Amino acid sequence: ARKAKQDKAEQIIEELMDKVDECEDEIERMRDMHEEQMSALRSVHEEAVGAKDREIVSLKRLHEEALNASNEKVTELEEALEQQEADYEELKISKDEILLSYEELKEEIGDDLEDEDDSESDTDDDENKEEGSTTPRLRRLPRKRVSEVACANVP
């Protein structure tokens, strides 16, 4: 009986050893399969990362080109603005000079017209004495007031 028990125990141990061997084989198979899957995932991941890196580099280059173009445009606009400001200042100075010349000329002409008005008023008094004339007479006024057409006396 002892031998039978020992045989039975050896048989159970052998069956268990077979099961352990099968489990170890299954573990080895699963480990290999896992390594293959991880290797495939790594290569897919590396390929995706490489594609994204290339896309990032391309976008950076496009962004830098757009930024450079914008900076050039800003520089051109700043230069144009500076030129316009300089032109404006020149025009302002020129305008002031023209206004000053105009005022001086206006004063000179005003003095001349006042002298002329005094001499013409004497002539107008002589013409007013002639009542029999049917032609409208013209009265000269300084140009700064009204035109000669507006001064015509129409009967």
Side-chain angles (χ1 to χ4, degrees), residues 9 16 22-23 25 45-47 49 53 55-56 64 100 103 105 109 111 115-116 124 126 129 136 138 147:
L16 289 175
E22 286 177 16
C23 286
D25 290 342
H45 175 72
E46 288 172 4
E47 185 178 320
V49 167
D53 285 344
E55 184 179 352
I56 288 170
E64 287 174 1
L100 183 63
E103 291 298 325
L105 186 61
I109 291 175
D111 292 343
D115 293 341
E116 195 176 296
D124 286 345
D126 293 340
K129 294 178 182 175
L138 297 176
S147 70

Side-chain angles (χ1 to χ4, degrees), residues 104-118:
E104 290 173 357
L105 186 61
K106 189 175 163 184
E107 286 178 15
E108 287 177 18
I109 291 175
D111 292 343
D112 290 346
L113 285 178
E114 287 177 7
D115 293 341
E116 195 176 296
D117 283 345
D118 291 340

